[in-house]
Amino acid sequence: MLGVKKNNLNNFLEKISSGYQLFVPAEVEGTTRFTAYQAGVQLALERNTVVPPKELFFPQTEHMYCYKAHKQEAAVEEIAAACEPRVLFGARPCDVQSLAVLDDVFLTKGYEDLFYKNKRENTLVIALGCRKPEPTCFCSSLGVDPSGTELADVMAWDAGEALVFEAKSDKGKKFLEENSAQLEDLAGVTQPTAECTMVLQVEGLTAKLQKMFEHSLWNEICKKCLNCGTCTYLCPTCHCFDIQGKTRGESGVKFRCWDSCMYQEYTLMAGGHNPRPSKKERVRQRFLHKLQYIPERYGKWGCVGCGRCVVKCPVNVDITRIIKQIGEVSLDA
């Protein structure tokens, strides 16, 4: 297999960045996230990033179109959704799985979001397998192999002193061929395996939730939630957004920005009605969306088991405990 010694990794990344816009997991202003590669960047390869890579495909704020209005005349100008060829390096298998969920949302069922589509089509994904999943990781229970994924263009494994690469798509094969001069033959290296220590029982979970919309369990679960939205902003699959505009004089721009189903205003209608007026409805929506609605619509879980929401929730609203509670509770409660 081809690979690169870790002491030569920066040279390898430098070479990639000469031909592509390259994003790597790194320490940035006190947290870890994917950022554009540059000399001196502090790589964060030992653990998954705090901020997932979804912001590279679905930015927090994104201009959609401009407009001008003068007296009775108006004109709309589209904003190009172009994207330069780029490489996402070091995405964990759970985050690669999250891109599959976002692909379903933004590219299927009769509608294609061109902003998202152009970024996805122009991005080569190099996944990095986990050697030791965190105690809060549970991707294995949701069908994700933490040590590898077939959904990336190139799969990389940490083999101790080197990273080993294997092409998973034609695009990935071409990429490795183009950069073969930077790689070494690391024959004899085998792919390490990894398993999450946390195991959840999810068989029958969606079918049970289909009968629990009015269940009293939601009254208990919602009590300590602050509706702060931390879970949704750090979730690699959450994709709620709002569309707003800025107008100056006769011209302006419409843009979309991340929103959250945890916020009361998210479902507030112009006439004042709100179908999710309390924490109960908003918390219920979050978990039904992950565990019932997305599985029903797309045939895959809306949660990828990365554990970010478990770690960062300020009041310990824990999706793994909630899955266990759902499995144990009586439908008559």
Side-chain angles (χ1 to χ4, degrees), residues 102-118:
L102 295 178
D103 287 350
D104 282 343
V105 172
F106 286 112
L107 302 177
T108 67
K109 304 294 183 183
Y111 175 76
E112 290 187 338
D113 184 300
L114 293 181
F115 296 98
Y116 178 86
K117 181 180 180 181
N118 285 331

Side-chain angles (χ1 to χ4, degrees), residues 171-209:
K171 191 163 64 171
K173 182 179 180 181
K174 182 180 178 183
F175 173 83
L176 290 182
E177 289 173 351
E178 290 174 348
N179 292 280
S180 59
Q182 306 296 319
L183 302 174
E184 301 177 45
D185 186 359
L186 299 174
V189 175
T190 58
Q191 178 187 353
T193 59
E195 285 289 333
C196 297
T197 55
M198 185 189 305
V199 178
L200 301 177
Q201 299 300 321
V202 298
E203 185 176 354
L205 184 66
T206 296
K208 190 169 185 180
L209 284 170

Side-chain angles (χ1 to χ4, degrees), residues 139 154 161 184 207 211-212 233 236 241 266 278 304 323:
C139 68
V154 176
E161 296 182 354
E184 301 177 45
K211 303 171 185 176
M212 291 182 61
Y233 278 70
F241 63 87
Y266 181 69
S278 74
V304 296
I323 289 175

Side-chain angles (χ1 to χ4, degrees), residues 143-159:
V144 178
D145 179 356
S147 58
T149 175
E150 298 297 318
L151 300 178
D153 294 302
V154 176
M155 186 64 228
W157 296 291
D158 187 340

Side-chain angles (χ1 to χ4, degrees), residues 9-70:
L9 179 59
N10 276 311
N11 291 334
F12 176 64
L13 297 176
E14 188 73 36
K15 174 65 170 57
I16 296 175
S17 66
S18 66
Y20 297 86
Q21 189 177 18
L22 173 62
F23 292 92
V24 296
E27 292 274 351
V28 181
E29 297 179 346
T31 190
T32 53
R33 68 192 322 148
F34 288 84
T35 188
Y37 178 82
Q38 57 183 335
V41 70
Q42 189 175 354
L43 295 173
L45 299 177
E46 294 301 314
R47 308 172 72 175
N48 201 3
T49 55
V50 172
V51 181
K54 75 173 177 183
E55 61 183 351
L56 300 180
F57 303 92
F58 173 50
Q60 286 196 31
T61 302
E62 187 165 40
H63 286 186
M64 303 178 74
Y65 62 90
C66 300
Y67 53 85
K68 291 183 179 179
H70 179 69

